[in-house]
């Protein structure tokens, strides 16, 4: 994929042109040559779902001669977003509030005949190389040598309270719980705080699998805990003086997908019980989804579980502690303590039914 948001010389000054959502049906009708193209994206949830649409459209704008692309993300608030880059030139995301302002400026200028509006972009960047990252791995011996792997990645963009501070907090809570003698698990637990999730070329789970063949051989199940307690957001009723509609956070958490690669009926049933017993906000449809950090475990021929939300503030500066649901964290920790206990006692054939080859889904990796 083309990258390179560098601005040679550090500054670009050029007229701006609005290209809307830059749909292939009309984007070629707009002359972007020598201009800064401004496109607008309304993320439906997690920006990972918009990459497949937005990145090729940005690349196309650059190929047709744009000197830069500004992508207005109609997000709540005014967050910096790390995503949707890689257009082969300078591509920048603009937060919801600033984007609203920019769209209004361009509209007002157009209706008043004051076009084109010119913008000056400046940028400084630095590339770091030879970085290293380390997994933290802990083992809680159970009554049996068989292993259940629990993973949460420990690195983040920005504050990362939702991706993946909440998952890591739940992992630590599980470690505390199962380390108590009275909670000794049936199967041995291997807990990983994995590293390098957001850095190309580093992959904590793959490093764990390569470094621990004995644990991997004894594993019956892998559970990846990733984005699990961010609150849900939606447009609120209050409208600012300039017409911007504010967002509000629900008290509860955003929907959580529980992906079970081998579609084990026993494991899926445990997730249903989670909703009834602990009020976890799992989506109702069973899913074989495999995403994010789970991708590094795919060489293991056992059930791989991905517990993951697709919340709107993902990969933005808005992922701060106040958007995490504290009761949601507790619901998830209590549910997983129950889940791990039950899965610790279950027959291997219930967790990995014979003939249920783990499916490889096509979800994009969360990076
Ligand atoms: Zn993540």
């Amino acid at each position: 994929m083309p990258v390179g948001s560098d601005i040679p010389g550090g500054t670009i000054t050029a007229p701006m042109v609005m290209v809307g959502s830059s749909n292939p049906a009309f984007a070629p009708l707009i002359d972007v040559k020598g201009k800064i193209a401004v496109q607008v994206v309304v993320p439906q949830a997690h920006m990972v779902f918009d990459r497949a649409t937005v990145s090729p459209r940005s690349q196309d704008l650059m190929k047709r001669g744009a000197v830069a692309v500004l992508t207005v993300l109609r997000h709540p608030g005014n967050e910096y977003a790390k995503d949707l880059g890689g257009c082969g030139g300078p591509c920048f995301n603009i937060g919801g509030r600033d984007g609203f302002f920019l769209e209004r400026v361009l509209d007002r200028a157009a209706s008043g005949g004051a076009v084109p509006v010119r913008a000056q972009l400046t940028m400084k960047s630095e590339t770091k190389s030879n970085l290293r990252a380390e997994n933290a791995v802990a083992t809680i011996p159970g009554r049996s040598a068989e292993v259940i792997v629990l993973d949460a990645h420990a690195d983040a963009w920005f504050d990362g309270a939702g991706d993946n501070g909440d998952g890591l907090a739940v992992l630590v809570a599980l470690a505390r719980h199962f380390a108590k003698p009275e909670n000794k698990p049936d199967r041995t637990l291997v807990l990983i705080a994995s590293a390098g999730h957001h850095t190309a070329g580093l992959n904590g789970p793959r490093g764990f699998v390569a470094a621990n063949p004995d644990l991997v051989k004894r594993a019956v199940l892998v559970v990846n805990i990733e984005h699990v307690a961010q609150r849900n957001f939606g447009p609120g009723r209050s409208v600012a003086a300039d017409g911007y509609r504010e967002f509000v956070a629900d008290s509860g958490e955003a929907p959580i997908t529980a992906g079970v690669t081998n579609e084990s009926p026993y494991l899926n049933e445990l997730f249903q019980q989670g909703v009834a017993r602990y009020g976890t906000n799992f989506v109702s449809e069973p899913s074989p989804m495999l995403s994010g950090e789970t991708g590094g475990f795919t060489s293991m021929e056992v059930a791989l579980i991905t517990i993951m939300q697709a919340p709107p503030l993902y990969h933005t500066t808005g992922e701060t502690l106040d958007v995490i649901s504290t009761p949601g964290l507790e619901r998830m920790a209590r549910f997983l303590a129950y889940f791990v206990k039950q899965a610790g006692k279950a027959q291997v054939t219930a967790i990995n039914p014979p003939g249920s080859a783990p499916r490889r889904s096509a979800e994009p990796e969360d990076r």
Side-chain angles (χ1 to χ4, degrees):
M1 175 175 283
V3 287
S5 275
D6 278 336
I7 297 178
T11 302
I12 291 174
T13 306
M16 289 190 283
V17 58
M18 171 58 79
V19 298
S21 57
S22 60
N23 291 50
F26 73 79
L29 306 177
I30 302 170
D31 178 17
V32 296
K33 210 165 168 44
K35 299 176 187 165
I36 298 166
V38 179
Q39 68 176 339
V40 179
V41 174
V42 184
Q44 296 238 294
H46 199 306
M47 280 181 295
V48 73
F49 300 132
D50 296 295
R51 283 181 200 161
T53 313
V54 176
S55 297
R57 290 180 184 181
S58 307
Q59 287 165 19
D60 183 59
L61 290 165
M62 293 303 295
K63 273 190 216 127
R64 289 192 295 104
V67 293
V69 176
L70 301 182
T71 299
V72 172
L73 288 165
R74 286 201 186 149
H75 263 150
N78 204 22
E79 320 305 338
Y80 295 162
K82 161 62 191 81
D83 220 314
L84 308 178
C87 74
C91 289
F92 300 102
N93 296 324
I94 299 194
R97 205 70 175 79
D98 284 349
F100 181 79
F101 171 78
L102 179 59
E103 285 184 61
R104 305 234 328 162
V105 165
L106 294 176
D107 286 345
R108 291 274 279 276
S111 44
V115 283
V117 178
R118 298 174 70 80
Q120 186 179 76
L121 310 180
T122 58
M123 180 185 174
K124 272 191 220 150
S125 68
E126 188 188 345
T127 302
K128 299 194 176 183
S129 54
N130 295 322
L131 301 178
R132 48 180 284 146
E134 289 174 5
N135 294 327
V137 180
T139 301
I140 300 176
R143 292 183 186 86
S144 128
E146 285 181 341
V147 162
I148 293 177
V149 174
L150 302 170
D151 180 273
H153 75 73
D155 61 308
W157 295 115
F158 309 115
D159 282 18
D163 175 20
N164 186 30
D166 51 358
L168 189 61
V170 169
L171 185 79
V172 170
L174 292 170
R176 285 205 181 113
H177 174 78
F178 285 107
K180 289 185 181 147
E182 64 268 32
N183 299 327
K184 186 180 173 82
D186 283 277
R187 290 193 165 101
T188 293
L189 303 182
V190 172
L191 301 101
I192 313 168
S194 56
H197 178 71
H198 294 100
T199 306
L202 295 177
N203 188 300
R206 270 200 274 280
F208 165 82
V209 170
N212 298 281
D214 175 55
L215 294 176
V216 166
K217 204 167 32 179
R218 290 193 271 134
V220 298
L221 174 65
V222 176
V223 182
N224 169 30
I225 310 163
E226 187 170 351
H227 332 150
V228 293
Q230 205 176 109
R231 294 163 71 182
N232 204 29
F233 284 80
R237 289 182 59 174
S238 73
V239 177
D242 61 1
Y244 180 78
R245 185 176 291 279
E246 304 287 356
F247 280 64
V248 291
D250 294 348
S251 58
E253 52 277 30
I256 309 160
T257 298
V260 178
T261 50
N262 68 355
E263 299 180 285
S264 149
Y266 172 77
L267 295 175
N268 275 323
E269 170 60 23
L270 286 182
F271 281 99
Q272 290 307 311
Q273 288 177 23
V275 177
R277 293 175 67 109
Y278 302 99
T280 40
N281 194 24
F282 293 125
V283 297
S284 56
E285 190 183 32
S287 162
M289 178 193 80
L290 179 159
S291 185
E293 201 68 328
T294 317
F297 293 104
T298 47
S299 63
M300 294 171 64
E301 293 290 313
V302 296
L304 305 176
I305 290 177
T306 306
I307 301 176
M308 185 180 275
Q309 291 177 313
L313 293 172
Y314 163 87
H315 283 185
T316 74
T317 48
E319 271 194 56
T320 52
L321 191 55
D322 52 346
V323 305
I324 302 301
S325 161
T326 304
L329 279 175
E330 189 172 334
R331 280 189 273 274
M332 185 56 67
R334 285 180 186 278
F335 162 70
L336 276 172
Y338 170 75
F339 179 94
V340 167
K341 187 175 174 191
Q342 298 304 314
K345 291 190 289 201
Q347 299 280 335
V348 179
T349 49
I351 296 171
N352 296 295
S356 68
R359 275 224 234 149
R360 306 282 179 248
S361 100
E363 284 290 319
E365 283 208 23
D366 148 50
R367 287 208 173 271

